[in-house]
Amino acid sequence: MSGTKLRLGVNVDHVATVRNARGGRHPDPVRAALLAAEAGADGITAHLREDRRHISDDDIARLMAELRVPLNLEMAATDEMLTIALRHRPHAVCLVPEKRQERTTEGGLDVAGGHNHLAPFVSTLSSAGIRVSMFIEAETRQLDAAKSIGAPVVELHTGAYCEVAPGPERERHLKRLQTAADYATKIGLECHAGHGLGYDTVGPVAAIAALAELNIGHFLVGEAIFIGFEASIRRMREAMDAARA
Ligand code: PXP
C-alpha cells in the first residue's frame, strides 16, 4: 500500500460559517469548493447539520449541480438527513454523531452500541449507490461493528491526536490511529481519517500507508486568511505527498 496516493477531501463548512455570520451570500462555499478542486482537492466534504449552522440545504443542491469531483456529505443518522441524502445521491455519506450543543463533532459514532439504529441507514444508503462511511474512534470494537453493519468505509477521528501537544501522548494517539488503520484494511474496510488536522499534525497521519483519504477543513479555511485558499490547499497537498514519499 506504501506509495499509494492519499486523497485529500476539502471540507468547506467554515466558508459557510463566515458567510452566515452576516447572513448574506459571501463567501460562497460552492465557489470555495470549485477553487479547492482546482487546487488539488480530490473531493469536497460538507456537513449538513441539523441546526444548519454552516452548510445549508441550498449549498448541498448547488454542490451537487456544480462539482466535478465527488461530494462527501457528512450527516447525522436521522430520517430528515436520510431523505435529503436519497434526494441528492452524493458519491459518499459519512455518518457522524451530532449534538446540538457541541462546537464541532466531538467524538466518533458508537457503531458497536448503536447497531440497531444505524443498520437501516447503512443498507438504505448503500442500496441507493452511496458509499457509506462511519466516523469512529480508533477502536477495534468500532471497526468490527462497522464491518458487521456493512459499511465499506470508516473515517478515524484524529481530534484527540491533534489536540495534545507534541510528545509521548501524541505518539500514543498516533500509534492507535496506525493500529486501527492497519486493522481496518485487514478486515476489508477502506480507511479515512480527519478532524483537526493542520500542517504540523498532518505528516505522521499521512505517512500511515493504510489510509486512503484525509478530510480537512477548519485549518485550511483559517490559513486562507493569511495565504489564500488555493495556497493553503496546495501546501497541505505537498505536506501529504512529502509524508507519503
Ligand atoms: N471528518 C469529519 C467526519 C468531520 O466531522 C470533520 C469536521 O466537520 C472533519 C473531518 C474535518 O475536520 P476539520 O474541519 O477540523 O479539519
Side-chain angles (χ1 to χ4, degrees), residues 115-184:
H115 186 283
N116 291 351
H117 172 69
L118 294 168
F121 287 88
V122 177
S123 64
T124 307
L125 290 164
S126 299
S127 302
I130 299 168
R131 201 158 164 79
V132 183
S133 152
M134 318 292 272
F135 187 47
I136 56 169
E137 298 295 331
E139 293 168 4
T140 307
R141 71 188 191 104
Q142 298 296 351
L143 290 160
D144 284 335
K147 178 72 184 173
S148 81
I149 215 170
V153 184
V154 288
E155 180 166 330
L156 303 179
H157 199 313
T158 52
Y161 157 79
C162 293
E163 274 160 26
V164 296
E169 202 185 339
R170 188 186 274 182
E171 289 306 311
R172 265 196 302 280
H173 284 298
L174 184 63
K175 183 82 193 124
R176 280 180 61 218
L177 291 165
Q178 166 90 63
T179 305
D182 288 345
Y183 184 69

Side-chain angles (χ1 to χ4, degrees), residues 4-245:
T4 312
K5 193 186 177 219
L6 180 62
R7 293 194 303 269
L8 170 61
V10 172
N11 181 315
V12 294
D13 291 353
H14 297 298
V15 178
T17 302
V18 177
R19 173 195 62 191
N20 295 0
R22 286 292 171 92
R25 287 183 187 292
H26 183 79
D28 177 11
V30 180
R31 182 177 164 202
L34 295 171
L35 194 62
E38 271 178 43
D42 301 289
I44 297 298
T45 294
H47 184 176
L48 186 66
R49 293 188 76 106
E50 195 188 1
D51 62 9
R52 310 299 198 268
R53 70 176 68 156
H54 39 55
I55 293 295
S56 69
D57 297 68
D58 184 53
D59 293 331
I60 297 296
R62 290 177 54 233
L63 285 168
M64 283 302 297
E66 295 184 40
L67 274 182
R68 296 291 166 263
V69 294
L71 177 67
N72 173 35
L73 172 64
E74 285 179 9
M75 60 177 231
T78 65
D79 291 342
E80 183 202 15
M81 289 300 152
L82 183 63
T83 303
I84 292 169
L86 293 175
R87 187 183 321 132
H88 292 296
R89 294 179 190 242
H91 167 76
V93 157
C94 180
L95 292 176
V96 299
E98 203 175 295
K99 296 190 216 100
R100 261 180 195 274
Q101 315 85 311
E102 70 191 356
R103 248 188 298 172
T104 180
T105 313
E106 281 165 5
L109 201 59
D110 182 10
V111 189
H115 186 283
N116 291 351
H117 172 69
L118 294 168
F121 287 88
V122 177
S123 64
T124 307
L125 290 164
S126 299
S127 302
I130 299 168
R131 201 158 164 79
V132 183
S133 152
M134 318 292 272
F135 187 47
I136 56 169
E137 298 295 331
E139 293 168 4
T140 307
R141 71 188 191 104
Q142 298 296 351
L143 290 160
D144 284 335
K147 178 72 184 173
S148 81
I149 215 170
V153 184
V154 288
E155 180 166 330
L156 303 179
H157 199 313
T158 52
Y161 157 79
C162 293
E163 274 160 26
V164 296
E169 202 185 339
R170 188 186 274 182
E171 289 306 311
R172 265 196 302 280
H173 284 298
L174 184 63
K175 183 82 193 124
R176 280 180 61 218
L177 291 165
Q178 166 90 63
T179 305
D182 288 345
Y183 184 69
T185 51
K186 191 174 139 211
I187 62 173
L189 294 166
E190 181 173 311
C191 194
H192 302 172
H195 208 285
L197 292 167
Y199 298 147
D200 63 338
T201 48
V202 77
V205 176
I208 298 174
L211 289 175
E213 180 175 306
L214 300 183
N215 283 299
I216 308 179
H218 183 267
F219 179 87
L220 293 172
V221 173
E223 188 66 2
I225 294 167
F226 306 106
I227 65 169
F229 198 42
E230 269 190 276
S232 77
I233 293 164
R234 285 191 203 284
R235 226 179 118 184
M236 188 61 79
R237 177 80 264 172
E238 283 164 18
M240 288 164 56
D241 291 345
R244 267 294 153 109

